[in-house]
Amino acid sequence: MAGFLHRKKHFTSFQIIILGFTVVILTGSLLLMLPVSSRTGQVTPFSDALFTSVSAVCVTGLVVQDTATYWSIFGQSVILLLIQTGGLGVVTVIASFALLSGKKISLMQRSTMQEAIAAPGVGGIVRLTNFILKGTFAIEFAGAMIMLPVFCRDFGLRGIWMAFFHSISAFCNAGFDILGTTNAPYASLTAYTKSPVINLTVMSLIIVGGIGFLTWDDIRTHKLRLKKYKMQSKVILVTTAALILLPAIFFYFAEFSTLPFKERFFGSLFQSVTPRTAGFNTLDLGKITSAGQAVMIALMLVGGSPGSTAGGMKTTTLAVLLANALAVFRRKEDAQLFGRRIEENAIRNASTVLMMYITLFFGGALIINAAEGLPLRVCLFETASAAGTVGLTLGVTPGLGLLSRYVLILLMFFGRVGGLTLIFAALSRTSKNLSRLPQGRITVG
């Protein structure tokens, strides 16, 4: 035991984050395997329970069993707890218990919390964590209260559970729903295509959860004084707005032109918001053209923002890559955003993250294509959904074989934890080499 404690002291922040997610996932899997977790009282196979647990903790929403018809109230409660834990971050949840018990947070714990929520430093991390917890529960409660009348009208007292489940799932960008029926499983929010209350509330929760906790703090501190926002907050808000508006215009004119105005408007806007890690859908994705599915794949890979409940490459990664490309086009030495020079390390990290996501997303699709014989376009959609922790599907996930399921499990875990976190955790013991090789010239492009 003493030896273990000694080794534990040398765990890095990145290793602790990965270990925390792994422990929660395995615990969730064991709970979901219990007979009380399923409606029929049967033991759920480990592969099904593991897939569901990973999807919930990684706030993805891909499922192999319909959440509403297969899982009991206990099972759904376990899933919701896993979603909340994964959305806030395992480290943040553990730290919250320490704060509630009055324990002091050590410097190592503060450093881990900093990495978990992508904070710029350890200063003020406890205050920020308190703000995150209070803000999260207040927003989720408000979302549930707004949707409560609609769900109670349709489901009676069960509507209370429906409202809270979907509010937490939307805020955490999870995409799990409990609206499926025996005759229509995996329904998502297709029954509420015309509902302004459900559409606007769910979209708002997704956006607020996806912009990141540090952006919240900037908004709370500076209100509408945008010039005082940190550069990262400005980048996140502008990029998020562009990634909502531009695809919505595309969907409105290119995909849903045959629908009545109300369905067309809400459908276009909702399908623009939800691919960036949320996973709900109000329209049949199988009827969207190949061009529309390609746009959704791109949105799924981008994902949300750093330090948020969302996964994916992150909006800031996209912004840095675009700024660097623009600097090259304009023959400028430095990439710039909002009058500030972007550090070279951020550009290198962004390029690495992009390469990792493309490699894993495409490589995973090739494996599933070879194993299942499905069209490559469909496989790319599923792997983008998993890597971006989105949860949207063209309906093939429940029928996938064991190999394909484990591919999606790995992609979901990678997408939530983050590629750089995995690399830094694996290479934490690698000593830095301060020597540099002679420079060589190479032509690219």
Side-chain angles (χ1 to χ4, degrees):
M1 178 62 73
F4 173 76
L5 292 175
H6 178 73
R7 290 194 301 271
K8 185 178 179 182
K9 291 179 182 178
H10 292 85
F11 283 172
T12 66
S13 300
F14 302 108
Q15 291 171 334
I16 292 172
I17 291 171
I18 291 174
L19 182 62
F21 271 98
T22 303
V23 170
V24 173
I25 286 170
L26 292 176
T27 302
S29 302
L30 295 176
L31 289 174
L32 291 174
M33 288 180 67
L34 297 175
V36 70
S37 293
S38 65
R39 286 189 178 274
T40 58
Q42 63 185 15
V43 175
T44 300
F46 176 72
S47 61
D48 287 4
L50 177 64
F51 192 99
T52 305
S53 182
V54 171
S55 185
V57 175
C58 297
V59 289
T60 304
L62 288 175
V63 294
V64 291
Q65 299 288 353
D66 181 58
T67 310
T69 57
Y70 182 84
W71 302 105
S72 65
I73 294 297
F74 177 82
Q76 292 174 11
S77 300
V78 171
I79 291 171
L80 193 62
L81 183 60
L82 294 175
I83 289 171
Q84 186 74 87
T85 303
L88 284 172
V90 175
V91 174
T92 305
V93 172
I94 294 172
S96 67
F97 284 111
L99 291 172
L100 290 172
S101 64
K103 293 182 179 178
K104 290 186 177 180
I105 306 298
S106 68
L107 182 60
M108 178 60 188
Q109 290 170 327
R110 291 170 189 262
S111 177
T112 305
M113 292 163 65
Q114 174 202 348
E115 298 293 347
I117 62 177
V122 296
I125 197 70
V126 174
R127 177 197 61 81
L128 181 58
T129 301
N130 276 319
F131 168 66
I132 289 170
L133 293 172
K134 291 176 182 177
T136 294
F137 297 136
I139 293 168
E140 290 173 346
F141 182 79
M145 289 299 100
I146 294 171
M147 293 188 287
L148 190 64
V150 177
F151 285 125
C152 284
R153 178 198 67 195
D154 296 340
F155 299 98
L157 289 177
R158 185 167 172 258
I160 299 174
W161 173 240
M162 307 279 279
F164 277 96
F165 188 99
H166 291 100
S167 180
I168 295 171
S169 182
F171 176 79
C172 292
N173 280 226
F176 277 82
D177 71 274
I178 48 174
L179 292 168
T181 64
T182 305
N183 296 326
Y186 313 106
S188 194
L189 299 177
T190 51
Y192 294 96
T193 307
K194 302 177 184 178
S195 172
V197 173
I198 300 300
N199 275 266
L200 293 175
T201 304
V202 170
M203 282 190 289
S204 298
L205 289 168
I206 291 169
I207 294 169
V208 172
I211 62 174
F213 302 130
L214 295 177
T215 307
W216 292 9
D217 196 41
D218 247 358
I219 294 172
R220 179 191 65 160
T221 304
H222 301 296
K223 305 297 189 294
L224 296 178
R225 292 170 292 182
L226 301 181
K227 290 184 178 180
K228 293 189 175 182
Y229 283 20
K230 297 182 182 70
M231 183 189 75
Q232 175 163 307
S233 297
K234 294 177 182 177
V235 170
I236 286 172
L237 292 173
V238 170
T239 307
T240 298
L243 290 174
I244 292 172
L245 182 61
L246 297 179
I249 294 173
F250 170 82
F251 287 131
Y252 185 86
F253 289 104
E255 293 293 333
F256 308 131
S257 56
T258 59
L259 297 176
F261 173 76
K262 194 173 182 180
E263 291 181 51
R264 186 181 180 186
F265 175 78
F266 282 121
S268 300
L269 194 58
F270 196 93
Q271 264 59 233
S272 176
V273 170
T274 194
R276 290 193 312 103
T277 85
F280 293 107
N281 61 284
T282 56
L283 296 171
D284 186 358
L285 300 183
K287 296 181 180 179
I288 294 179
T289 64
S290 297
Q293 291 175 7
V295 171
M296 296 186 85
I297 287 174
L299 292 173
M300 288 191 288
L301 288 176
V302 172
S305 301
S308 71
T309 61
M313 289 191 305
K314 303 295 187 290
T315 53
T316 48
T317 302
L318 175 64
V320 167
L321 292 171
L322 291 176
N324 188 52
L326 185 61
V328 173
F329 294 153
R330 298 172 66 182
R331 294 183 176 274
K332 288 195 172 185
E333 186 175 347
D334 298 314
Q336 302 174 7
L337 284 170
F338 292 99
R340 293 289 186 272
R341 175 173 56 87
I342 302 173
E343 57 181 353
E344 291 184 7
N345 190 49
I347 297 173
R348 288 198 299 268
N349 286 347
S351 302
T352 303
V353 169
L354 174 64
M355 182 58 65
M356 286 190 299
Y357 267 88
I358 291 178
T359 301
L360 290 170
F361 139 77
F362 192 72
L366 291 179
I367 294 174
I368 295 176
N369 172 260
E372 307 292 337
L374 295 169
L376 183 60
R377 170 181 56 84
V378 174
C379 299
L380 289 171
F381 194 95
E382 302 298 310
T383 54
S385 181
T389 68
V390 181
L392 293 176
T393 177
L394 296 179
V396 302
T397 299
L400 294 178
L402 203 57
L403 173 61
S404 299
R405 290 188 183 186
Y406 280 113
V407 168
L408 293 182
I409 284 173
L410 291 174
L411 289 176
M412 287 189 288
F413 188 79
F414 169 86
R416 182 63 183 109
V417 173
L420 291 180
T421 299
L422 289 171
I423 289 176
F424 293 154
L427 302 180
S428 61
R429 303 294 178 215
T430 303
S431 59
K432 292 184 178 180
N433 187 357
L434 300 179
S435 64
R436 302 181 72 180
L437 296 173
Q439 183 172 312
R441 295 182 62 85
I442 186 170
T443 303
V444 297

